[in-house]
Amino acid sequence: YYRQLLTVSPDAVVVGAGGRFRFANDEAVRQLGAERVEQVIGKSYEEFLSQQQFGVLANQIQALRAEPDRNQSFELVVRGFDGTERLFQINARPFMYEEEMFVVAVARDITQRNEAEKRLQFLASMLEHSADPLAAIDPAGKVLFVNDAARRLFKIDDQKLDSMSANDFFPERDLDKVGQLVARVLRGEDVLIEAQLRRVQFDDEIPVQLHCFPIRAAGSDEVIAIAGIARDLTESQRTQGMLRERVEFQELVNGISTLLVNAGSDEVDDVAVSEIRHNRLHEGDHRAVPGAQLDVVELPGEVARRTSCQVRDRTDTLECRTVADAAGECLAAARRREIETAEAEQDRC
């Protein structure tokens, strides 16, 4: 009866004594790559194990002798008749029969599971160490995972992570959009948006580009989670703003330079006023431009030399100027030098 029960077991079952197999069920024969049970019975354990793995088995058998009332559980790499190696989870227990110790072992092939676990560990490590902030939530919005980059960017406390939801990342004014975003992704859409997200501990906001996409169950269209990748746009927006300011300033300076080509000394003030008005720059314009940028002004002839010289002399004391003030300073310097030169000529006369 017991032999029949072991024979039909879905797990591989073997019985051994003296270092050799005494019994193997159908599943064990199949797992070892044999065609008949006779190919297994009487074979030494060592024929199916590498030297290193045979040492592992010897240690486990020794442990069974020392504690015969306890099961031993361990993993063992077994080589089949065709040379293929598989990883087995072994549960073994000794028993005595006719004054000889036998060992009955139940073996389960965990090769695929082990490989899957390694792949998951690799993916988890890759996601954890990604430079991009990554997060995942379940369909109800509960946070399942955030990587190290996301924890740093959004200032997330690990102790509070288990209780966080997607709503914690969005400002209160945008909470209605969270439900809409989740609904779109659950329908299978990839969503790319720009949004303001909260830094949890600081309770301030940062601009990000957010890419959300569905995670589906294996072999199914069912969406079981939502993943999100965020890209911090703070530096990008700051750089774009600085570039816009520089372009606007350069256009202003180039415009003034062009007008000064045909302007006499008595026309400099009028040029400044008309050019500033043309660019809609007035006393209320607070766009700051470093005074040192005026060194790039290129004016023709004598006026250019005097104008650029005057501005450079004052750069050290002017940390920041508005575009309008900087342009006015440039033109006023040229006007003052023209007047001083004329007065000096009159004195000599």
Side-chain angles (χ1 to χ4, degrees), residues 250-320:
Q250 190 65 48
E251 289 176 350
L252 171 63
V253 171
N254 289 343
I256 295 174
S257 301
T258 302
L259 290 175
L260 283 175
V261 172
N262 299 316
S265 60
D266 57 341
E267 296 176 295
V268 172
D269 285 340
D270 293 336
V271 169
V273 173
S274 63
E275 183 62 17
I276 292 172
R277 184 182 296 114
H278 174 71
N279 285 275
R280 299 181 181 178
L281 302 175
H282 47 77
E283 293 181 359
D285 187 347
H286 299 296
R287 288 177 293 178
V289 176
Q293 289 192 27
L294 289 176
D295 274 346
V296 303
V297 175
E298 295 182 3
L299 303 178
E302 189 67 14
V303 174
R305 186 186 64 78
R306 286 197 300 271
T307 302
S308 59
C309 229
Q310 178 69 10
V311 174
R312 277 198 297 272
D313 289 344
R314 295 177 59 83
T315 296
D316 292 340
T317 61
L318 297 177
E319 294 181 0
C320 198

Side-chain angles (χ1 to χ4, degrees), residues 11 31 86-89 107-113:
D11 292 321
Q31 293 283 11
R86 295 182 180 180
L87 180 65
F88 286 87
Q89 176 72 46
R108 178 167 295 177
D109 186 354
I110 60 171
T111 305
Q112 292 183 347
R113 188 186 76 182

